[in-house]
Amino acid sequence: MTSKNVDSELVWLILAAVVGAYAFLSGFLKKTNELYYVLRLGKKKHSSLPPGDMGWPFIGNMISFVRAFRSQNPDSFTNNLVRRYGDTGIYKTSLFGNPSIIVCSPELCRKVLTDDERFEYGYPSSLNKLLGEVRSLHGVSNSEHRHLRKLLSSPINGHESLSKHIEYIEDTVVSSLEEWIHNNSQIELLTELKKINFRVMTRILMGSADSISESMTKHYARLFDGLMSPLPIDVPGFTYHRALQARKILLNVIQAHLDERRCKNNDDPNNKTGVIDLLLEAKDEEDGEKLDNELIVNLLLGFLLAGHETTAHAATWLTVYLHDHPESLQRVREEQVEIVRRRPSSQKGLTLNEIRQMECLSKAIDETMRYAIGNFPKGNR
């Protein structure tokens, strides 16, 4: 046997040993991690756990979760659980540093979301630090949560509320589209839609589109990245640390605007045009006291973050799906053309009545939300 053959066999032997050691260590660590959580529950509760695995120590399954979330197929994380453990609709895992149960069947989701006696609002500690550990929408009692949710959604949801913002929304979208047309370089649709939505949400929540600079969007992006960080470590250089720093900057900006808004409202009651003004006047249902500054700032931060991301993603998916389904796009386009054709010559701009006539577009949006958010394998939709 030549020395060359010996060297080749030695390389393959070392490679096989490394792969075998990695496979053993991986299996051992994951099994140890699962035993750690399972034994803490006790034998009785252990026997009732759904299928799944707890992943790596400390990290859990966050790496695969984040990888799926940032891919073009975010449902691949859940699909992988279905493929490995069957179509049970419920699985155990470990996410955000906590043992977790994933529920993905409509029936189980409905039970979890409507059963306030057995289920409480709760978030991992890493998320609480980013969204507000105590005084925030997810850090209050169930009754106060319902009260605040109703208070916050009333100026946003419904046709009557929408009618107050139609003109501004239309002007913002049209001016952005015109800017895209005259831009010779390519644009990233999601990024541009985030900018549009940020201006709209700022106007609705803060009462003024100029209250928070558009440059603040980068801090919201860092905060959002921190929410999805697989390693919530508060050390310089880590995503989670940058998110905490971004939160401090955003809180200072919102607090400054809150102080300014409070002074303006005292001088002129007619300035009360945003959700922020409702929060300044709102009272706690339990003690009748007005909401404190910390709660108001955390509520506005959370709503700006949620509205900034979710609506932009929904609009992006709607654009993608209509592009991929030209027949649906044609029906939506014909509906819009017909609405404009019936418009009186004296009318300028979109009206609430015209929005109510957009049945085809409304169905396309509903289907986008159903498919983009609930796109699980057959049987779990």
Side-chain angles (χ1 to χ4, degrees):
M1 181 179 296
T2 65
S3 60
K4 184 177 181 179
N5 290 337
V6 173
D7 291 342
S8 177
E9 290 183 0
L10 183 59
V11 170
W12 280 108
L13 182 62
I14 294 174
L15 181 60
V18 171
V19 172
Y22 173 81
F24 172 79
L25 184 61
S26 174
F28 176 77
L29 289 176
K30 289 186 176 182
K31 192 64 177 178
T32 302
N33 188 48
E34 182 164 345
L35 285 174
Y36 169 75
Y37 287 117
V38 167
L39 292 177
R40 291 173 61 186
L41 292 174
K43 185 176 180 180
K44 185 176 181 180
K45 292 183 178 180
H46 169 211
S47 60
S48 60
L49 285 175
D53 73 87
M54 308 304 292
W56 297 87
F58 306 110
I59 301 176
N61 289 305
M62 277 301 294
I63 294 178
S64 56
F65 177 80
V66 172
R67 186 187 300 118
F69 182 83
R70 292 176 175 173
S71 70
Q72 294 184 352
N73 183 22
D75 295 323
S76 59
F77 181 81
T78 307
N79 293 344
N80 184 51
L81 291 173
V82 175
R83 186 167 53 253
R84 292 173 60 189
Y85 301 106
D87 190 5
T88 63
I90 182 170
Y91 309 93
K92 67 173 181 284
T93 185
S94 178
L95 298 172
F96 300 100
N98 291 270
S100 308
I101 298 295
I102 290 182
V103 176
C104 53
S105 72
E107 296 77 12
L108 289 174
C109 287
R110 189 177 299 109
K111 180 174 179 57
V112 170
L113 294 174
T114 57
D115 191 343
D116 291 337
E117 293 184 4
R118 294 181 177 85
F119 299 96
E120 297 180 354
Y121 295 105
Y123 294 84
S125 58
S126 59
L127 269 69
N128 287 337
K129 290 181 180 179
L130 292 175
L131 299 177
E133 293 189 75
V134 180
R135 303 301 290 163
S136 62
L137 191 60
H138 59 278
V140 297
S141 64
N142 285 358
S143 60
E144 190 176 2
H145 185 279
R146 286 191 291 269
H147 168 62
L148 290 173
R149 189 173 58 198
K150 182 178 180 180
L151 176 70
L152 286 164
S153 62
S154 59
I156 300 175
N157 294 332
H159 287 143
E160 182 179 349
S161 301
L162 177 62
S163 63
K164 302 176 183 177
H165 309 290
I166 291 176
E167 182 178 356
Y168 177 76
I169 294 174
E170 183 178 15
D171 289 343
T172 302
V173 173
V174 170
S175 62
S176 297
L177 291 174
E178 291 176 346
E179 183 180 332
W180 298 355
I181 292 173
H182 295 95
N183 190 345
N184 294 325
S185 60
Q186 292 183 341
I187 65 167
E188 187 178 80
L189 181 60
L190 179 59
T191 299
E192 296 303 320
L193 288 176
K194 284 182 179 181
K195 292 179 182 179
I196 293 174
N197 198 56
F198 186 80
R199 291 197 289 269
V200 172
M201 289 298 298
T202 302
R203 171 68 172 263
I204 295 174
L205 293 174
M206 311 299 287
S208 169
D210 302 323
S211 57
I212 298 181
S213 170
E214 194 172 298
S215 63
M216 290 292 102
T217 56
K218 67 179 182 181
H219 297 298
Y220 273 96
R222 289 177 179 175
L223 184 59
F224 187 79
D225 288 341
L227 294 175
M228 303 307 300
S229 174
L231 294 174
I233 300 175
D234 186 13
V235 174
F238 283 84
T239 300
Y240 187 73
H241 175 79
R242 289 194 292 269
L244 288 173
Q245 297 305 306
R247 169 182 163 80
K248 292 179 182 178
I249 295 173
L250 291 167
L251 287 180
N252 289 334
V253 172
I254 296 175
Q255 181 63 60
H257 181 70
L258 182 64
D259 296 338
E260 179 184 352
R261 199 72 184 172
R262 183 180 278 110
C263 294
K264 285 186 177 180
N265 285 348
N266 289 336
D267 296 336
D268 184 4
N270 294 325
N271 281 327
K272 301 177 181 181
T273 58
V275 172
I276 187 174
D277 304 305
L278 291 176
L279 293 175
L280 286 170
E281 296 297 325
K283 295 182 179 181
D284 192 303
E285 281 194 332
E286 297 180 359
D287 55 23
E289 296 292 329
K290 287 190 174 182
L291 306 182
D292 59 62
N293 276 3
E294 183 181 1
L295 177 57
I296 294 177
V297 171
N298 280 330
L299 289 173
L300 292 170
L301 176 66
F303 263 67
L304 276 170
L305 176 64
H308 172 230
E309 291 287 340
T310 55
T311 307
H313 279 85
T316 301
W317 280 116
L318 174 62
T319 304
V320 171
Y321 291 148
L322 286 177
H323 174 271
D324 293 342
H325 298 81
E327 293 182 0
S328 298
L329 176 60
Q330 181 62 24
R331 288 197 294 270
V332 170
R333 182 185 289 113
E334 289 174 354
E335 179 180 69
Q336 299 296 308
V337 171
E338 178 61 21
I339 290 174
V340 173
R341 189 189 64 80
R342 294 197 300 264
R343 177 181 292 176
S345 58
S346 58
Q347 178 182 322
K348 296 185 181 298
L350 191 64
T351 67
L352 178 59
N353 183 53
E354 288 177 335
I355 293 177
R356 287 171 171 164
Q357 297 173 29
M358 299 178 185
E359 296 182 2
C360 189
L361 178 60
S362 179
K363 291 178 180 178
I365 294 173
D366 289 343
E367 182 66 4
T368 295
M369 298 296 290
R370 182 195 72 80
Y371 192 76
I373 296 177
N375 186 20
F376 296 111
K378 186 176 180 180
N380 281 340
R381 291 183 183 175

